[in-house]
Amino acid sequence: MKKRLAGFATVLALLLPLVPAEAAAAGRYGQHGFTEVKTQGTGEGTYHLLRHTDTGAQVVWLENGSETREFAIGFRTPPEDSKGANHVLEHSLLCGSEQYPLNDLMHILQNSSVAQEINAYTSEDYTTYVFSTADEQDFYNLADIYTTCVLFPRLRTEPNIFKQQGIRIEYADGKAQYNGIVYNELRLRNLDTAQNSLNFVSGQLYENLYGDTSPTFDAGGAIPDIFDLAYQ
């Protein structure tokens, strides 16, 4: 898990979370550890591409005067198989950090923040953690929590987070059975529905086209592949 997290180098944000708006407008990024690489005006506003000097992380800041402040921090996560590691990481990284060691952090945020959206997504080749809020202080609070969670998650030292969010074996009435949030989501995907039938056909098509390569694999995970996923 540590190696996987350390390998992700790209940070994407729709608004710069750690630079005050007035400082950004004046172009004084250096004192905050950033260098402006490119600026481009569009009908939506002005995009600023910044690079963090020490880590090389990239930040995209959209200056548009909107009252809603949107944030996203994302990582390139092309799947190596269909075990669902990216999907489990998406769930697990928001289960607290070294700075915020709370088991039910997401529930606390949803009940205490005024954000319109607090969420995370696993796509075919990237994972992103997003929120949007109209309150400036709420924005900076959430940006701090999100950043520490994805860069310094409790998951690195708490294997039970993986078991809860991903997959585990439980014993009930003398029988062993699988459980876990992501595992149960995948079980629902295996139900006999028209959409699942379409997904199956699509998966077979991709396998024939791309073989044993990343586009064929399911970033969200699949059964029975997830049975081989382990905490490392």
Side-chain angles (χ1 to χ4, degrees):
M1 296 291 181
K2 294 182 181 178
K3 292 182 180 179
R4 182 182 296 274
L5 290 173
F8 296 145
T10 300
V11 176
L12 174 65
L14 298 180
L15 284 177
L16 182 60
L18 302 179
V19 179
E22 61 272 15
R28 292 182 278 115
Y29 303 110
Q31 62 178 313
H32 302 287
F34 289 89
T35 300
E36 185 169 54
V37 178
K38 183 179 180 181
T39 300
Q40 181 173 330
T42 69
E44 299 176 333
T46 302
Y47 285 89
H48 302 265
L49 174 61
L50 311 176
R51 178 178 291 112
H52 189 246
T53 305
D54 292 339
T55 65
Q58 297 183 56
V59 173
V60 177
W61 171 45
L62 172 59
E63 184 181 11
N64 61 3
S66 173
E67 293 184 359
T68 300
R69 296 166 170 84
E70 299 179 347
F71 174 95
I73 180 167
F75 306 92
R76 297 190 186 105
T77 55
E80 300 175 354
D81 49 49
S82 295
K83 296 178 184 178
N86 297 337
H87 192 178
V88 175
L89 280 173
E90 173 217 313
H91 282 251
S92 301
L93 295 194
L94 293 181
C95 289
S97 65
E98 295 176 3
Q99 186 174 347
Y100 302 99
L102 303 171
N103 291 328
D104 54 350
L105 179 59
M106 287 302 293
H107 290 95
I108 293 175
L109 293 180
Q110 290 167 352
N111 292 328
S112 61
S113 170
V114 295
Q116 294 98 319
E117 179 183 18
I118 297 178
N119 214 333
Y121 306 97
T122 301
S123 189
E124 287 81 1
D125 56 5
Y126 70 90
T127 303
T128 185
Y129 303 82
V130 302
F131 69 79
S132 62
T133 178
D135 185 85
E136 182 174 6
Q137 187 59 52
D138 192 40
F139 174 87
Y140 287 113
N141 290 341
L142 290 172
D144 181 48
I145 293 171
Y146 263 55
T147 304
T148 59
C149 279
V150 300
L151 298 180
F152 307 101
R154 292 176 62 237
L155 174 66
R156 297 190 297 179
T157 57
E158 294 288 344
N160 283 334
I161 292 177
F162 166 81
K163 296 177 182 178
Q164 177 194 50
Q165 299 296 321
I167 187 170
R168 62 185 182 274
I169 296 178
E170 295 180 344
Y171 294 90
D173 300 326
K175 297 181 179 179
Q177 59 185 20
Y178 288 103
N179 204 348
I181 293 176
V182 171
Y183 165 71
N184 286 323
E185 288 183 1
L186 298 182
R187 286 182 58 202
L188 293 177
R189 284 175 44 186
N190 279 354
L191 296 178
D192 187 14
T193 65
Q195 182 60 50
N196 288 341
S197 298
L198 181 61
N199 291 340
F200 173 79
V201 173
S202 175
Q204 294 300 306
L205 177 62
Y206 268 70
E207 185 173 347
N208 290 331
L209 288 173
Y210 300 108
D212 193 26
T213 62
S214 183
T216 299
F217 302 134
D218 193 330
I223 295 176
D225 302 72
I226 194 174
F227 297 149
D228 295 324
L229 186 63
Y231 180 90
Q232 299 178 1

